[in-house]
């Protein structure tokens, strides 16, 4: 029973996270193409930065999770440096992307405010 649950977990990781990886990369590349051509809004820089950080997050974190859980290829076992870099990417890249989206929201609140003078 334990081996079958492990196998099911590996298959969900391989197919589920691979589809999430591909759709995330595709969506963020489309965001970069759209926001890099139309820079008329003041918030496009933050959306562009969030999309670039999301691509780095997907490539740096999700691809290695697919390899380690799905195919039992864990690079952090042999290298302390890689383990520390992985933890840094988990901790830093996700909140930076959320911060960019929050900054866009705050920017648009200030722009749409009736007390705005510029």
């Amino acid at each position: 029973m334990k081996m079958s649950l492990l196998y099911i977990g590996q298959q969900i990781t391989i197919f589920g996270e691979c589809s999430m990886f591909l759709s995330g990369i595709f969506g963020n590349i489309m965001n970069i193409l759209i926001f890099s051509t139309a820079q008329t809004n003041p918030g496009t820089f933050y959306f562009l930065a969030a999309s670039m950080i999301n691509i780095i997050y997907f490539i740096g974190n999700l691809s290695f999770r697919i390899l380690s859980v799905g195919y039992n290829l864990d690079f952090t076992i042999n290298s302390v440096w890689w383990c520390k870099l992985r933890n840094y990417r988990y901790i830093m890249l996700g909140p930076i992307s959320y911060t960019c989206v929050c900054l866009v929201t705050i920017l648009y609140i200030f722009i749409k405010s009736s007390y705005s003078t510029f």
Side-chain angles (χ1 to χ4, degrees), residues 43 45-47 49-51 53 95-105:
F45 172 74
Y46 294 114
F47 280 129
S51 294
I53 289 171
I96 290 173
S97 176
Y98 293 133
T99 302
C100 289
V101 174
C102 289
L103 288 173
V104 169
T105 305

Side-chain angles (χ1 to χ4, degrees), residues 72-88:
N72 295 325
L73 297 172
D74 195 6
F75 297 111
T76 60
I77 293 173
N78 298 329
S79 174
V80 176
W81 179 81
W82 192 258
C83 183
K84 290 180 181 182
L85 182 66
R86 181 187 66 174
N87 289 333
Y88 175 77

